[in-house]
Amino acid sequence: MILVVLLSIAMLMTGISQKIRLPHTILLVVTGIILGRIAETWQPLSILTDFRLGPEVMLFVFLPALIFESGYSIDTRQLHQDLPPILMLAIPGMLLSTFIVGFGIWWLLDIKLIVALVFGALISATDPVAVIALFKELGVPKRLYVLVEGESLLNDATAIVAFSILVGIAVAGGGIGWGDSGSIIVEFVRVFIGGVIVGSLLGFAVCEVLHRMRSELPVILTTSIIVAYASFVLSEHVLHVSGIMSVVGSAIALKRYSILKFGHDATHAIHSSWEMIVLSMNSLLFLLVGLSVRFENVPAMIGATLLVVILILLARAISIYNMLPLATRLFRLPHVSKADRHIMWWGGLKGGLAIAVVLSIPDSLPEKQFLFDLTIGVVMFTLLVSAPTIRPFMERLGLNRLTEGEDLELRNTLISARKDSASWLTELMEHSLLSKQAREELMIRIRLAFGIGMYDEGSEKHEDDEYIAIFRTYQTEQVVLDSLYKARVISQYVYLRMNDARLDMQEALRMGKTAHKALRESNRKSLFVRFEGYLLRYSRENPWLAKLFSRYQLLRLVQQIERHIAKVIISNKIIEMLRQQEDLDLAAREELIENYSTRNRFYRKELDTAQKQFSGFYQRHMEQTAHRSMIHRGWQYVEKQFVHGDLSAKGYNIIKNKVDLELQGISSFRAVRAPESSESISDLVDQVSLFDTLGSEDRQDLENQATDITFLAGDTIVGESERGDNFYVLIHGTAAVLKLNEDGSSQQVTEFHDGEIIGESSLLEDEKGRHRRSATIVARSACNMLCITRKAMLGIVDKYPEIREQLRAIHDQRIGDAADT
């Protein structure tokens, strides 16, 4: 009953806060303080004196839910891009704050160093609830939102891990010295990274199980709540790693793959449900913070509190104004503006987590009450001073003003809304439901509601049609891309990669960048591309991974074909859409139509090349794609009929069983596993004249140690100065040989074509270990290669002198050609 009353009070205060434009967290804390004072003197409310924010309640009830919702709602695409600066703030920045605050109060307040460091760790955890709420209201750039929210997520984990280590030393009665730093760092990394791994694996596993079970939305939502708490408890009490990082990892993993496995509607429903849960949690949390405040020691702690606040702001200023720019420069990321950094500095609020952490200090530590009073003072300062000033500070910095791109996006939406409203009005007139006089008056109302300027027809004939058209192309691209994924024309990896590129471009345009600059920023290598490049570089010259690498390259070939198919369909749809946008300038539309027509021709040519080079493989993949997409499109219609009540449950289950049976016969990767028309290893060896003299037994041994690998256009086959000892024969395709110049640029020396060999020099030298490549070789088109291990080739060269001589002649000729060049 008490919880119901407290929640009712919290909801009332939340509504009032929207009216008076004050962060609801502040109003809740003040309400909690007032209720606490009344409860001490008025018997009917005396039961509230038993409601206090204890460490167990905070750490095992509130914290997992709050962290999970933050991890689930954060923009993972932007998080991946800005992970280096976020980690810089959350780990080195938090540790710097710990030491500055710790050493500061040790020197100024004369307390034990280890106790001072314990306080420095616990007070460094941020809780920017009020700031995030303002961000959502004012519509700040996504990057600033993610920087603040991402730092808070990882910062909390870092602070709790550091606190746990330091408080253990303090309670044991020991000190801390430089000799302990190594073991502390190792323990910190183990706990931090271990939590990420545990949570991510749990999130991925649960998502896959729910998908395979075809779980309904209530089951998915309930399971997400279980995952939030299970990941925390499993990590903290069983595996002894960071529970917070485990919750963050599970939330991000579940969010990233729930979009693909369950669809946008289910993901949105999960997010809305978690927002409701967190609203209740936050409301109770800040009321309990107010109820937990005791003013007996506050007057005596004012001086110490102000001193600590100054130290915290100083430490945060060093992190924000020095470490953040350093991270963006080191990782070549876009610059973070001064206005954004000012908000990040002043918005590092402290909240319930700091209070819960200080309450978790064992009673055996004599300084516990002093640290609690100091923590309450700092939390109250940030909530009652920092939080109320965030809004005017943001408005003063201009963060509430529309950027040029946002203004254009607004105009585009207003124009589309006005057209839709006018179309509906026309339809009502056709049904003779309105008079002409009413129509004219309603048209005026439409202009007032959705007009760019009041009665200003000239302002609607703006000169930004090119940008408006570009925004509409991205809207169309999103619709087509979603439909292609739902029909399983493209895989989830291809969908994520293409959608990330689209979102990057759209966000860059929204922030007012030119189309050229936006395109350049969107082409910056994403997390997918960087991971793929690392995987290729590590595995392409590793003989133990040759078979696996061959399979992976075929998978990449399938993904490339899927991307090209999607690009062709998207460009066609966009061209069709642009031709219908008669409200836009014809010249602007024609320029974009020509642009997308060029893209269409390019990707069709790429598909034609793939069809010629891998005819059987390509045909089989296209047949499977058509089969799979046909079934999924039909199933989407069935689900829609069932949801709308136009199909009974019996009929739905009959069709579901038929569809499941049909889909079981289609494998997304069957074309990768066994392309029917691909040439066997024996067929490929037949095409290499170098092996004509091999005996049958030696030839069989060679075939057993050879692998068929396909490199896509643009792939690096071997890298200059990289270690590798594989021997390659180029069966089909073209590859360029590049040498690095002294200034770091590369120059093409020659080209390799069908039948040429790569890696002969490693067989002619007595160098032990893996050979260093003398040049970079890049695939100009898709290259089908026969890859043979150096060990197998050395056996052949030693046994067949004529093969060695052929290799020597080829090598000498290449040396001579290179010298001439």
Side-chain angles (χ1 to χ4, degrees), residues 18-172:
Q18 294 174 355
K19 295 292 184 182
I20 63 177
R21 296 173 65 83
L22 187 71
H24 74 283
T25 54
I26 302 170
L27 207 55
L28 289 171
V29 170
V30 172
T31 303
I33 294 173
I34 295 172
L35 288 175
R37 301 290 75 77
I38 296 174
E40 292 176 356
T41 58
W42 193 35
Q43 180 62 31
L45 289 181
S46 60
I47 192 173
L48 290 179
T49 58
D50 297 328
F51 279 78
R52 294 290 180 264
L53 186 62
E56 294 82 8
V57 174
M58 178 64 193
L59 294 177
F60 296 102
V61 177
F62 288 102
L63 192 60
L66 298 177
I67 294 294
F68 187 90
E69 191 275 336
S70 295
Y72 194 85
S73 63
I74 199 168
D75 187 337
T76 54
R77 174 187 58 86
Q78 190 67 52
L79 179 67
H80 291 154
Q81 293 176 352
D82 284 315
L83 194 58
I86 289 173
L87 287 174
M88 182 73 80
L89 294 175
I91 300 178
M94 197 288 306
L95 296 177
L96 176 67
S97 175
T98 298
F99 285 111
I100 290 178
V101 175
F103 278 99
I105 65 172
W106 165 70
W107 183 49
L108 296 171
L109 300 182
D110 192 25
I111 63 175
K112 293 179 183 178
L113 177 59
I114 186 62
V115 175
L117 290 174
V118 167
F119 177 77
L122 71 89
I123 206 64
S124 296
T126 59
D127 188 11
V129 176
V131 180
I132 294 300
L134 277 177
F135 283 1
K136 292 178 179 178
E137 179 184 339
L138 298 178
V140 300
K142 283 186 179 180
R143 192 182 189 207
L144 176 58
Y145 180 97
V146 171
L147 284 172
V148 173
E149 183 82 340
E151 181 205 357
S152 175
L153 279 173
L154 303 186
N155 178 289
D156 291 349
T158 309
I160 289 181
V161 172
F163 168 81
S164 301
I165 296 172
L166 292 171
V167 81
I169 298 173
V171 171

Side-chain angles (χ1 to χ4, degrees), residues 418 421-422 424-426 428-429 433-450:
R418 189 171 64 253
S421 297
W424 173 242
L425 181 58
T426 302
L428 291 176
M429 290 294 298
L433 297 175
L434 292 172
S435 65
K436 290 184 179 181
Q437 182 180 357
R439 179 185 181 280
E440 292 175 0
E441 184 177 344
L442 289 173
M443 284 299 298
I444 294 174
R445 294 297 176 184
I446 290 173
R447 291 193 190 98
L448 286 173
F450 303 113

Side-chain angles (χ1 to χ4, degrees), residues 204-276:
F204 290 141
V206 167
C207 194
E208 187 63 29
V209 170
L210 290 173
H211 173 66
R212 291 182 180 275
M213 292 172 60
R214 293 194 159 203
S215 301
E216 300 294 333
L217 182 58
V219 176
I220 297 171
L221 176 59
T222 305
T223 305
S224 71
I225 298 173
I226 294 171
V227 168
Y229 287 95
S231 59
F232 186 85
V233 174
L234 176 66
S235 299
E236 285 285 339
H237 293 282
V238 179
L239 302 176
H240 304 292
V241 293
S242 173
I244 291 183
M245 287 311 303
S246 181
V247 175
V248 172
S250 64
I252 292 176
L254 200 63
K255 164 69 176 296
R256 191 66 173 171
Y257 286 91
S258 65
I259 295 176
L260 304 170
K261 301 293 186 182
F262 313 130
H264 288 285
D265 293 340
T267 305
H268 179 72
I270 295 170
H271 184 225
S272 298
S273 300
W274 270 102
E275 282 188 327
M276 180 271 295

Side-chain angles (χ1 to χ4, degrees), residues 225-493:
I225 298 173
I226 294 171
V227 168
Y229 287 95
S231 59
F232 186 85
V233 174
L234 176 66
S235 299
E236 285 285 339
H237 293 282
V238 179
L239 302 176
H240 304 292
V241 293
S242 173
I244 291 183
M245 287 311 303
S246 181
V247 175
V248 172
S250 64
I252 292 176
L254 200 63
K255 164 69 176 296
R256 191 66 173 171
Y257 286 91
S258 65
I259 295 176
L260 304 170
K261 301 293 186 182
F262 313 130
H264 288 285
D265 293 340
T267 305
H268 179 72
I270 295 170
H271 184 225
S272 298
S273 300
W274 270 102
E275 282 188 327
M276 180 271 295
I277 293 171
V278 166
L279 176 62
S280 303
M281 291 281 190
N282 262 327
S283 301
L284 284 175
L285 172 61
F286 284 98
L287 274 177
L288 290 175
V289 168
L291 288 170
S292 301
V293 173
R294 289 290 178 268
F295 285 96
E296 291 81 2
N297 299 324
V298 170
M301 299 296 295
I302 290 178
T305 298
L306 293 176
L307 177 64
V308 171
V309 168
I310 292 171
L311 290 172
I312 292 172
L313 291 175
L314 174 63
R316 188 150 183 83
I318 295 174
S319 298
I320 297 297
Y321 295 107
N322 293 280
M323 302 179 94
L324 185 61
L326 176 63
T328 55
R329 284 197 301 270
L330 286 176
F331 293 91
R332 298 178 182 179
L333 297 172
H335 174 70
V336 180
S337 69
K338 285 186 178 181
D340 290 352
R341 281 182 280 166
H342 293 337
I343 292 299
M344 293 178 68
W345 170 68
W346 188 246
L349 308 181
K350 314 300 175 184
L353 179 60
I355 297 175
V357 172
V358 76
L359 286 172
S360 69
I361 297 175
D363 294 334
S364 57
L365 191 68
E367 296 85 356
K368 177 178 179 178
Q369 185 60 44
F370 173 78
L371 297 183
F372 175 77
D373 294 337
L374 205 54
T375 302
I376 288 292
V378 174
V379 170
M380 295 309 295
F381 177 88
T382 60
L383 288 178
L384 300 179
V385 177
S386 298
T389 57
I390 286 290
R391 179 189 293 273
F393 194 26
M394 292 174 66
E395 292 175 350
R396 179 69 180 270
L397 293 172
L399 292 178
N400 60 328
R401 290 195 292 267
L402 292 174
T403 65
E404 182 183 356
E406 288 172 330
D407 182 61
L408 294 172
E409 193 175 46
L410 172 63
R411 290 188 181 194
N412 175 45
T413 304
L414 288 173
I415 292 170
S416 300
R418 189 171 64 253
K419 287 172 60 179
D420 193 62
S421 297
S423 175
W424 173 242
L425 181 58
T426 302
E427 187 174 341
L428 291 176
M429 290 294 298
E430 289 174 353
H431 293 295
S432 302
L433 297 175
L434 292 172
S435 65
K436 290 184 179 181
Q437 182 180 357
R439 179 185 181 280
E440 292 175 0
E441 184 177 344
L442 289 173
M443 284 299 298
I444 294 174
R445 294 297 176 184
I446 290 173
R447 291 193 190 98
L448 286 173
F450 303 113
I452 296 172
M454 186 179 297
Y455 301 108
D456 186 3
E457 296 293 337
S459 66
E460 299 183 4
K461 298 183 182 302
H462 49 80
E463 299 177 356
D464 302 306
D465 283 3
E466 181 182 356
Y467 274 90
I468 299 295
I470 291 173
F471 278 120
R472 293 183 186 180
T473 62
Y474 289 124
Q475 292 171 347
T476 302
E477 183 174 346
Q478 178 183 2
V479 172
V480 178
L481 200 57
D482 288 345
S483 67
L484 289 175
Y485 176 71
K486 289 178 180 178
R488 299 302 186 267
V489 175
I490 56 177
S491 64
Q492 63 182 29
Y493 179 87

Side-chain angles (χ1 to χ4, degrees), residues 517-750:
K517 188 174 182 180
L519 180 61
R520 185 176 62 196
E521 290 196 2
S522 70
N523 286 334
R524 187 183 294 113
K525 288 187 177 180
S526 66
L527 179 72
F528 294 104
V529 178
R530 292 197 297 269
F531 175 74
E532 190 175 79
Y534 170 79
L535 198 62
L536 290 174
R537 187 164 58 253
Y538 176 77
S539 58
R540 67 185 176 221
E541 291 273 31
N542 193 322
W544 301 102
L545 298 176
K547 299 289 185 183
L548 185 62
F549 181 67
S550 176
R551 289 269 299 277
Y552 177 65
Q553 286 294 88
L554 285 173
L555 175 59
R556 290 184 66 230
L557 176 60
V558 169
Q559 292 170 348
Q560 186 181 76
I561 292 172
E562 288 180 354
R563 278 196 299 273
H564 291 166
I565 292 171
K567 292 287 187 181
V568 168
I569 296 174
I570 288 171
S571 59
N572 281 333
K573 291 291 185 181
I574 289 176
I575 291 170
E576 181 182 343
M577 180 273 298
L578 287 171
R579 285 174 175 160
Q580 297 172 356
Q581 305 301 306
E582 296 180 358
D583 60 313
L584 298 179
D585 181 64
L586 180 61
R589 286 189 289 143
E590 286 182 343
E591 183 178 351
L592 273 176
I593 289 172
E594 178 58 32
N595 188 340
Y596 279 95
S597 297
T598 302
R599 296 187 193 185
N600 188 282
R601 290 191 295 270
F602 172 80
Y603 289 114
R604 282 191 179 278
K605 183 178 178 182
E606 291 293 307
L607 288 174
D608 291 341
T609 302
Q611 184 177 14
K612 292 176 183 177
Q613 196 165 357
F614 308 98
S615 57
F617 179 86
Y618 179 88
Q619 188 63 31
R620 177 168 181 169
H621 172 72
M622 292 303 299
E623 289 174 0
Q624 286 196 349
T625 299
H627 186 185
R628 186 170 54 249
S629 62
M630 175 188 67
I631 299 299
H632 278 283
R633 286 295 293 267
W635 176 244
Q636 288 173 35
Y637 176 80
V638 171
E639 287 188 316
K640 187 183 298 183
Q641 294 295 102
F642 178 66
V643 170
H644 291 167
D646 296 328
L647 179 67
S648 68
K650 293 178 182 178
Y652 175 82
N653 288 324
I654 290 173
I655 299 175
K656 183 176 181 294
N657 292 332
K658 292 164 67 76
V659 168
D660 287 344
L661 186 63
E662 186 68 24
L663 288 176
Q664 286 175 5
I666 309 173
S667 170
S668 300
F669 301 102
R670 185 173 297 174
V672 176
R673 293 194 186 105
E676 289 178 345
S677 61
S678 63
E679 297 169 297
S680 66
I681 296 296
S682 178
D683 295 333
L684 297 179
V685 172
D686 285 340
Q687 299 179 43
V688 184
S689 59
L690 186 69
F691 302 135
D692 288 346
T693 59
L694 291 181
S696 59
E697 186 175 340
D698 293 326
R699 179 188 170 94
Q700 186 61 47
D701 290 340
L702 177 70
E703 292 176 2
N704 291 337
Q705 299 187 64
T707 307
D708 177 19
I709 297 179
T710 299
F711 287 92
L712 306 183
D715 283 355
T716 299
I717 300 171
V718 299
E720 185 171 351
S721 299
E722 291 182 3
R723 291 192 177 276
D725 49 21
N726 285 341
F727 179 82
Y728 297 97
V729 181
L730 179 56
I731 305 299
H732 303 295
T734 303
V737 181
L738 309 176
K739 288 288 290 183
L740 286 176
N741 298 322
E742 293 182 359
D743 61 358
S745 62
S746 58
Q747 177 184 0
Q748 181 169 326
V749 178
T750 186

